[in-house]
Amino acid sequence: MNLLCALALASIALTPSLVPRPTVFQGFLAGLWFMIGFQLGFLLRWAAQAACEGIRALAQRRGLIRPRSEAKTGRARRRPQSAAGPIVLGIALVAYVVGYGALVVSWQNEVRRLVEMEPVDGAGHAAFLLSMFTTMILFYGIAGGIGALRSAIARSVERGGGSAVLARSAGQASSVAAVLILVVGFLGAGLAAVNTLYEDRDADTPAGISRPFLSERSGGPGSTLTWEGLGRHGRAFSSGGPSGAQIANVTGTPALEPIRVYAGLSQAPDAASRAAAVVDELERTGAFEREVLLVATPTGSGWLEPQAIASFEYLYGGDTATASMQYSTQPSWVSFLFRPGLAVDSSEALFDAVHDRWRAIPEEDRPRLAVYGLSLGAQGMAGSFEGLDDLLTRTDAALFTGPPANSQPWRGLQAARDAESPVWQPVYQAGEQVRWQSKPGDFAELPGPWRQPRIGYLQHATDPITWLEPAVLFQRPAWLAGPAAAGGRGADVSDAMQWIPGVTFLHLVTDMLMSEAVPPSHGHNFGDVAVDGWAQVLPGHDRDGAQLAAIQSIIEQIDSQDPAWE
């Protein structure tokens, strides 16, 4: 029973998912689920024995069977067990492991091929096995300690006069309690460690980042916001990006110094105060006199995707201003779990403050007003509006990248998409004002007009953050409706990935950790579509094909600093 359960859970853990996993991480998952299954076998066997004994006791009380002490004792001597049974079992086990292992390798290499990654080699297989066996040994030791506790409790109950059934029940209860204590303790310690780690990180400055010497940047000369108070990602944002000279060199046309304004979490006591500080900084830098003003919501820890902001600045020759502010030091998944409304509240405070000042400018003198957000930032910014009509009325353009599954109005638009359009590449009202893009050029594929203001969503079929929702636990999702050739899933989603109740949800959870570790155009990596995304959503930049290609080449060289945990 134990080995059967262990193999079953380890086998399920190795089934394909949306994105490939590093071999060490995959080995850890296999070892973890093997040991969970092994312990589950003990629990199932105990439950079966307890049920049988309960049925026997009931039958004895009703006189259906005799007590064991009255049963016949003249039983035939047991025949010695044949050695053939264990041998056959061992051969079958080896055959299963080898055969299933080969299948797992083929699955993983197919997933890797579909997202344009190299296949796993011999070193990868060795790393997988080492990681798996190390994990199994570690958890075997933990399980052994829990088993010793279970036995000690059971013996103590028996010495105290308790029945064998009571002793076993007490032992099992102590095991469950120990596991719960370990899990709760691990999660609590983990969250505390994450909190400490990210608070310390927020106080650091990334390597190669120094205080800006331009007055157009927060923390620079004349800034009302201190450099030290911007936070780690605020300092990277304020000091980063192209200069006017770099933009001019790439595009071959004159350019201004892009304005970048950012308020750190420590620079004001609440969102409204931080938003007011951002507006003051926009006034100081002359942001309301630029051609385009962008209000951007960062991820949980304050990170803004450098490709998206730089693309925007290159397209408009630096005649731009970008405003953002931090709302947390924690990574997005922590903010999402424990303070889900924080991103929305911060976005609403910032946009309303900027919009109020922008609306006070005569209409003919106003800059175009755009909004942007990535992941939790996309959910926060889009969620700060009352709906699609409000978003279209109050902005000139919006670009939302990789929104989580519960984002609005994204979720409603997906549900109301035009018939025959797939959920991973939806069409809403023939693309008249809202469109979706996975790879460059998708926005322009629809034949009808795209009226302004425009709203664009950057979305990949292999992005687990977009598809993770509770309904996947018990219902086959539309993005796994059938094989790719029949239009039942995105072209880069493996046909070998099948919906398994409960399991697919857990796959998405683990895939989130690896969603950035894939090439652009897949997973949660959108760097390659930022230029075309802004070029289509916010027309009027007057860049020709050669200039767009030159900008694209520069953007592809930007290192996003692997923000998987931001």
Side-chain angles (χ1 to χ4, degrees):
M1 175 68 78
N2 300 63
L3 185 58
L4 182 62
C5 289
L7 285 174
L9 264 66
S11 298
I12 289 174
L14 294 173
T15 54
S17 55
L18 287 176
V19 294
R21 298 165 184 162
T23 52
V24 172
F25 183 62
Q26 185 79 318
F28 166 77
L29 290 177
L32 172 64
W33 284 104
F34 183 93
M35 295 310 299
I36 290 175
F38 199 81
Q39 295 304 309
L40 180 62
F42 280 118
L43 182 61
L44 292 176
R45 188 168 62 182
W46 167 78
Q49 289 175 347
C52 289
E53 291 186 6
I55 293 172
R56 172 178 286 278
L58 179 61
Q60 287 177 354
R61 286 197 299 270
R62 295 188 177 182
L64 299 177
I65 61 173
R66 289 180 294 172
R68 289 179 178 175
S69 58
E70 300 177 9
K72 294 181 180 180
T73 57
R75 296 176 180 171
R77 182 179 299 176
R78 290 185 178 180
R79 296 179 181 178
Q81 292 185 347
S82 171
I87 293 175
V88 171
L89 180 62
I91 294 174
L93 177 61
V94 171
Y96 176 79
V97 171
V98 172
Y100 193 76
L103 184 61
V104 168
V105 170
S106 69
W107 282 340
Q108 284 298 308
N109 283 339
E110 182 191 17
V111 173
R112 296 176 73 87
R113 177 182 61 80
L114 289 171
V115 299
E116 304 172 87
M117 295 178 67
E118 293 296 322
V120 178
D121 55 14
H125 298 152
F128 167 81
L129 292 173
L130 179 61
S131 175
M132 182 180 70
F133 285 122
T134 301
T135 303
M136 290 169 64
I137 292 170
L138 173 63
F139 281 92
Y140 183 80
I142 295 174
I146 295 174
L149 174 65
R150 179 176 60 238
S151 299
I153 295 293
R155 288 195 300 270
S156 177
V157 171
E158 284 187 311
R159 285 195 299 267
S163 65
V165 174
L166 179 61
R168 283 196 296 271
S169 299
Q172 293 296 336
S174 67
S175 298
V176 173
V179 170
L180 290 176
I181 290 172
L182 284 174
V183 170
V184 172
F186 176 78
L187 291 177
L191 288 173
V194 167
N195 184 63
T196 301
L197 171 65
Y198 276 84
E199 284 186 353
D200 292 342
R201 278 171 57 87
D202 193 57
D204 290 337
T205 300
I209 297 299
S210 59
R211 184 172 180 172
F213 59 87
L214 299 171
S215 62
E216 290 87 354
R217 306 295 180 95
S218 290
S223 175
T224 59
L225 299 170
T226 64
W227 170 250
E228 294 76 16
L230 295 181
R232 173 185 175 86
H233 294 306
R235 289 190 288 275
F237 168 75
S238 182
S239 180
S243 66
Q246 290 171 322
I247 295 173
N249 182 57
V250 171
T251 62
T253 57
L256 301 176
E257 295 292 347
I259 294 172
R260 291 189 172 197
V261 171
Y262 191 100
L265 189 64
S266 65
Q267 291 176 318
D270 52 49
S273 301
R274 287 193 295 276
V278 168
V279 172
D280 289 343
E281 189 79 338
L282 291 173
E283 291 274 17
R284 180 191 69 81
T285 57
F288 293 103
E289 299 169 9
R290 293 297 174 101
E291 184 176 356
V292 189
L293 172 58
L294 175 65
V295 182
T297 300
T299 62
S301 59
W303 182 79
L304 286 161
E305 186 182 48
Q307 295 97 325
I309 307 302
S311 296
F312 165 71
E313 293 167 338
Y314 272 108
L315 282 171
Y316 277 88
D319 197 4
T320 61
T322 303
S324 186
M325 69 184 195
Q326 188 180 20
Y327 53 87
S328 171
T329 61
Q330 304 305 313
S332 291
W333 64 271
V334 175
S335 297
F336 178 78
L337 287 175
F338 297 101
R339 300 189 67 181
L342 197 59
V344 173
D345 293 342
S346 178
S347 300
E348 185 173 7
L350 178 58
F351 181 81
D352 285 351
V354 173
H355 185 263
D356 286 346
R357 175 63 185 86
W358 172 86
R359 192 172 52 182
I361 302 171
E363 187 171 353
E364 63 274 12
D365 297 328
R366 295 172 184 167
R368 284 195 283 172
L369 184 60
V371 293
Y372 165 79
L374 165 69
S375 196
L376 186 62
Q379 178 177 317
M381 178 56 75
S384 67
F385 294 88
E386 294 182 2
L388 179 61
D389 290 342
D390 187 35
L391 183 57
L392 291 169
T393 300
R394 302 174 71 197
T395 68
D396 294 299
L399 188 65
F400 300 125
T401 303
N406 62 340
S407 302
Q408 291 293 1
W410 174 87
R411 191 176 181 87
L413 296 172
Q414 292 267 138
R417 66 187 184 277
D418 296 353
E420 306 303 325
S421 66
V423 68
W424 60 89
Q425 189 72 50
V427 176
Y428 177 76
Q429 295 183 353
E432 185 173 340
Q433 289 188 298
V434 184
R435 295 191 181 188
W436 281 257
Q437 176 162 282
S438 178
K439 61 183 183 301
D442 285 349
F443 277 153
E445 283 190 358
L446 296 181
W450 193 3
R451 307 186 190 282
Q452 298 187 51
R454 296 176 175 181
I455 298 173
Y457 283 101
L458 304 183
Q459 176 174 304
H460 292 154
T462 50
D463 186 357
I465 292 174
T466 294
W467 308 126
L468 180 63
E469 59 177 332
V472 178
L473 283 165
F474 52 84
Q475 181 180 350
R476 181 189 299 276
W479 48 270
L480 281 181
R489 64 187 64 199
D492 53 350
V493 178
S494 171
D495 284 343
M497 182 180 181
Q498 300 297 318
W499 175 71
I500 305 172
V503 175
T504 301
F505 180 86
L506 295 176
H507 277 337
L508 291 177
V509 172
T510 54
D511 281 351
M512 283 200 307
L513 305 179
M514 301 296 123
S515 60
E516 291 275 358
V518 293
S521 292
H522 309 284
H524 203 56
N525 191 337
F526 296 90
D528 68 321
V529 289
V531 174
D532 190 61
W534 279 120
Q536 297 294 326
V537 169
L538 197 58
H541 45 77
D542 296 328
R543 298 298 184 192
D544 59 27
Q547 290 174 318
L548 290 174
I551 295 171
Q552 179 71 25
S553 177
I554 292 296
I555 296 301
E556 289 176 354
Q557 299 175 38
I558 295 177
D559 181 8
S560 63
Q561 301 178 356
D562 190 20
W565 295 88
E566 302 299 348

